[in-house]
Amino acid sequence: EMQCEVRSEELPEWYTRRRDYFSELDLEQKRQRQKHSKTDDNKQPFPTPDIPPQDIFRDGSKYSSWDENGFPMKDANGKELSKAATKKLKKIYDAHCKRHDTWK
């Protein structure tokens, strides 16, 4: 107990300044991420539940091929979707399937 008190009292000033500097950097980076995530390009609006799940990604301007369930396989340029993009779309697809089933 006494060691903890002494140790906390004896922290050098440069250490606390450095810690404050890095916490300010973390806050700034967090603000930047939030700012970029709020852009309209990253947002994919959730479709209304009355749209069948196989039709929610049938947008020819964004995707060029789909599987039998209507899930996109390639982007508009014909390139395979990245793993991250596939995961993101799968999450949206699964959520929409649940909403569509409860809507029926």
Side-chain angles (χ1 to χ4, degrees):
E1 213 176 276
M2 186 174 173
Q3 285 179 342
C4 292
E5 290 174 13
V6 170
R7 186 174 180 192
S8 64
E9 290 174 6
E10 293 179 0
L11 283 175
E13 184 180 337
W14 63 266
Y15 179 80
T16 51
R17 278 195 317 236
R18 182 174 181 220
R19 187 178 59 204
D20 292 342
Y21 171 75
F22 283 113
S23 64
E24 287 175 18
L25 278 180
D26 290 341
L27 285 174
E28 184 61 32
Q29 289 173 349
K30 187 176 180 181
R31 286 185 195 121
Q32 289 294 329
R33 281 194 302 261
Q34 288 174 346
K35 185 175 162 185
H36 288 297
S37 68
K38 290 181 181 178
T39 61
D40 291 336
D41 295 338
N42 294 337
K43 288 189 177 180
Q44 178 124 10
F46 283 104
T48 58
D50 61 332
I51 299 172
Q54 60 269 20
D55 294 339
I56 62 172
F57 296 117
R58 293 282 179 174
D59 184 6
S61 65
K62 292 183 180 181
Y63 311 107
S64 62
S65 80
W66 301 267
D67 66 1
E68 63 277 353
N69 295 327
F71 193 78
M73 303 303 289
K74 295 183 179 183
D75 65 3
N77 298 329
K79 289 191 261 179
E80 291 286 328
L81 292 176
S82 68
K83 200 173 197 181
T86 303
K87 186 176 179 181
K88 183 178 176 181
L89 293 174
K90 182 72 173 161
K91 188 175 179 181
I92 293 170
Y93 182 81
D94 291 341
H96 182 72
C97 285
K98 286 180 184 178
R99 278 190 309 220
H100 182 71
D101 289 343
T102 57
W103 177 80
K104 280 192 207 180

